[in-house]
Amino acid sequence: MPPLLATRHLSDEHATTALARAFAPLLGAGDTLLLSGGIGAGKTHFARALILSRLATPEDIPSPTFTLVQTYDAPGLTIWHCDLYRLGDPSEVIELGLDEAMDTALCLIEWPDRLGDLTPQGALHLHFEPGARGDGRQLALHGPDSWRTRIPQ
C-alpha cells in the first residue's frame, strides 16, 4: 500500500457526497481512484456522487456489480466506473479494456485488489471503513505524494 496521505471522517452520506463533489473537478483523464472497503462501506455512493457531479445532464448511475463496467461521457473526458468483485483473475482486466482506459479515462475502480500486478502506480487509494463508534465512515487516502495537493480539505 502506498503511503498514507490523509484521513477523513465522513459522518453520513451527505459528507460522502460532499467529498466526492469536491474531488470531481480536480480529476481528469488518466486519473485512477481505487475504492476499497467492505460491502456497504460507501464505495458506490462515493462513485455515483462523483460521476453525477461531472455529467452535463443527470442520469441514472447503476452499480456496475453485474456489468463490471459502466462508462459515462462527461464534458472533456470519459469516466469508467468498474466493480471487479466478480473477477477471477487479473487477466480479465485486460479483456475489459480497463488497462487502456486507465491511461485515457477517469477510472473509479471498486474492489481494486482484483487488479493484482495491473494496479497503476500513480493511483489514489480510498479505503472506506465503518466509523470507530459506529457513526459514519472513516476514509484513509493512500497514494503517491503527487496526490497530496489534490486531496480536498
Side-chain angles (χ1 to χ4, degrees):
M1 178 74 65
L4 178 67
L5 301 176
T7 59
R8 298 284 184 273
H9 177 73
L10 303 171
S11 58
D12 56 23
E13 287 184 353
H14 299 290
T16 302
T17 298
L19 181 63
R21 288 179 179 164
F23 253 116
L26 306 175
L27 301 170
D31 286 334
T32 298
L33 300 185
L34 304 176
L35 310 173
S36 63
I39 293 172
K43 301 178 299 292
T44 301
H45 182 85
F46 179 90
R48 279 186 180 126
L50 194 151
I51 293 164
L52 280 170
S53 69
R54 290 296 299 255
L55 296 178
T57 56
E59 63 180 89
D60 184 40
I61 309 294
S63 171
T65 299
F66 297 105
T67 59
L68 302 180
V69 175
Q70 295 287 139
T71 60
Y72 304 91
D73 291 321
L77 82 158
T78 300
I79 301 171
W80 282 50
H81 181 196
C82 310
D83 185 327
L84 306 182
Y85 183 77
R86 296 185 312 119
L87 288 190
D89 187 86
S91 66
E92 294 175 75
V93 169
I94 296 168
E95 292 173 27
L96 293 172
L98 181 56
D99 57 325
E100 292 178 16
M102 287 188 275
D103 291 332
T104 61
L106 169 57
C107 294
L108 309 173
I109 303 173
E110 299 184 43
W111 302 97
D113 57 307
R114 307 308 201 267
L115 289 168
D117 292 340
L118 297 173
T119 302
Q121 296 298 310
L124 181 65
H125 299 250
L126 290 85
H127 183 73
F128 295 83
E129 291 186 356
R133 298 178 306 267
D135 61 335
R137 301 282 182 259
Q138 282 300 120
L139 175 62
L141 299 105
H142 296 261
D145 200 52
S146 59
W147 279 99
R148 193 173 301 278
T149 59
R150 296 175 66 195
I151 297 173
Q153 299 301 315

